[in-house]
Amino acid sequence: MAFMKKILLPLLLLAGLLATAQSGKVMDNVSLKSKILNMDRKYAVYLPPDYETSQRSYPVLYLLHGSGDDQTGWVQFGEVLRIADKAIGEGVSTPMVIIMPDANTGQRGYHNDIQGKWRYEDFFFSELMPHVEKTYRIKGEKRYRAIAGLSMGGYGSFLYALRRPDLFTAAAPLSAWVGPLTEEDTKRWVRQQELKIADTTVNRYHRQQTVLELVKSVPDSVKGAVRWYIDCGDDDFLYEGNSLLHIAMKKKEIPHEFRIREGAHNWTYWRESLPVVLEFVSRGFHQY
């Protein structure tokens, strides 16, 4: 019996060490100073299991949260650590760094506001991306950079990938809000905010910020620049906007994958979507 204990104890210790080595790492309270937003901005980061033991650089996925959450949303409710570790361990996903920024402090949203006073989009491209790609071992080329998000973060994914197809190889909006569907919807929103803005400015802002309008203006030369995966539940209240967007992309002949699954606008749905997203963006990070 004593002999067996001597054999089993090292084996158990080794198993424990292997289990620890196979786990990634999440930090959900990291920050950087933003001159554009005049404040410190938080973000969360997932580092893959072999990050601490290797010297290699990794692809990056920017993963955006929805309205009402912050940078901890995908960590706490989306279980990004468990899901990403499992996907990487099973070979479904390539190891990658995942950056989850906070877009719910100061003002909510991933866009610049209509008055130009709150410039979150400018912060994302000019400050956040350069900061994290310098701080972590992240490959800086387009082919190793993807973006995804849910609801409000789905809108941010659309906005950024349509606006900057030169920066992202893949985009995966989930249950996305696609912005006001008509110019009148945008004008109604401006009136509700009690903003005194000329109709010409509102119309221009609508064309610049609404996903349906951005799709219509995609040049033929970049139709295939981004690999698209669009996912929405059949009981989701944003189903109409996603369906209209799918139709608009079909008419524009923009290649994309469009999936309607059983489900609603909730974390149960998005936790099931995340492994598919990781697999989808990984296919773009690979070379065939």
Side-chain angles (χ1 to χ4, degrees), residues 43-112:
Y43 64 92
V45 56
Y46 165 86
L47 301 176
D50 61 348
Y51 186 89
E52 303 291 351
T53 57
S54 79
Q55 297 299 315
R56 60 168 292 202
S57 296
Y58 295 83
V60 61
L61 170 65
Y62 290 90
L63 187 59
L64 311 183
H65 67 76
S67 178
D69 287 324
D70 56 22
Q71 82 282 358
T72 66
W74 274 107
V75 176
Q76 181 66 39
F77 308 119
E79 300 179 14
V80 67
L81 177 62
R82 176 184 66 81
I83 292 173
D85 277 358
K86 185 173 185 289
I88 292 170
E90 293 176 349
V92 172
S93 168
T94 189
M96 68 183 74
V97 173
I98 303 176
I99 302 295
M100 297 157 277
D102 169 31
N104 195 31
T105 300
Q107 187 167 313
R108 184 178 294 179
Y110 296 94
H111 55 285
N112 295 346

Side-chain angles (χ1 to χ4, degrees), residues 61-217:
L61 170 65
Y62 290 90
L63 187 59
L64 311 183
H65 67 76
S67 178
D69 287 324
D70 56 22
Q71 82 282 358
T72 66
W74 274 107
V75 176
Q76 181 66 39
F77 308 119
E79 300 179 14
V80 67
L81 177 62
R82 176 184 66 81
I83 292 173
D85 277 358
K86 185 173 185 289
I88 292 170
E90 293 176 349
V92 172
S93 168
T94 189
M96 68 183 74
V97 173
I98 303 176
I99 302 295
M100 297 157 277
D102 169 31
N104 195 31
T105 300
Q107 187 167 313
R108 184 178 294 179
Y110 296 94
H111 55 285
N112 295 346
D113 71 18
I114 193 169
Q115 296 174 300
K117 295 180 179 179
W118 182 258
R119 296 161 47 216
Y120 191 94
E121 182 181 346
D122 293 346
F123 155 76
F124 184 93
F125 288 113
S126 299
E127 293 182 328
L128 176 69
M129 280 181 52
H131 168 79
V132 299
E133 296 189 11
K134 179 181 179 181
T135 303
Y136 305 98
R137 298 198 311 274
I138 292 174
K139 293 178 181 290
E141 301 97 323
K142 163 192 164 82
R143 64 172 297 182
Y144 300 115
R145 188 186 296 117
I147 190 164
L150 67 90
S151 195
M152 180 181 79
Y155 168 76
S157 304
F158 271 124
L159 185 68
Y160 292 172
L162 286 168
R163 191 101 74 202
R164 296 299 307 271
D166 58 312
L167 292 180
F168 300 101
T169 187
L174 309 173
S175 311
W177 180 65
V178 300
L181 299 181
T182 66
E183 285 188 358
E184 187 53 43
D185 289 338
T186 302
K187 291 176 182 177
R188 188 180 304 109
W189 172 80
V190 170
R191 289 194 295 268
Q192 290 172 349
Q193 304 301 310
E194 298 183 353
L195 301 174
K196 295 182 179 179
I197 300 173
D199 282 352
T200 53
T201 301
V202 175
N203 293 341
R204 183 172 64 252
Y205 188 76
H206 175 79
R207 292 192 299 272
Q208 293 173 345
Q209 300 291 331
T210 298
V211 176
L212 285 168
E213 294 297 327
L214 289 172
V215 164
K216 294 176 184 177
S217 63

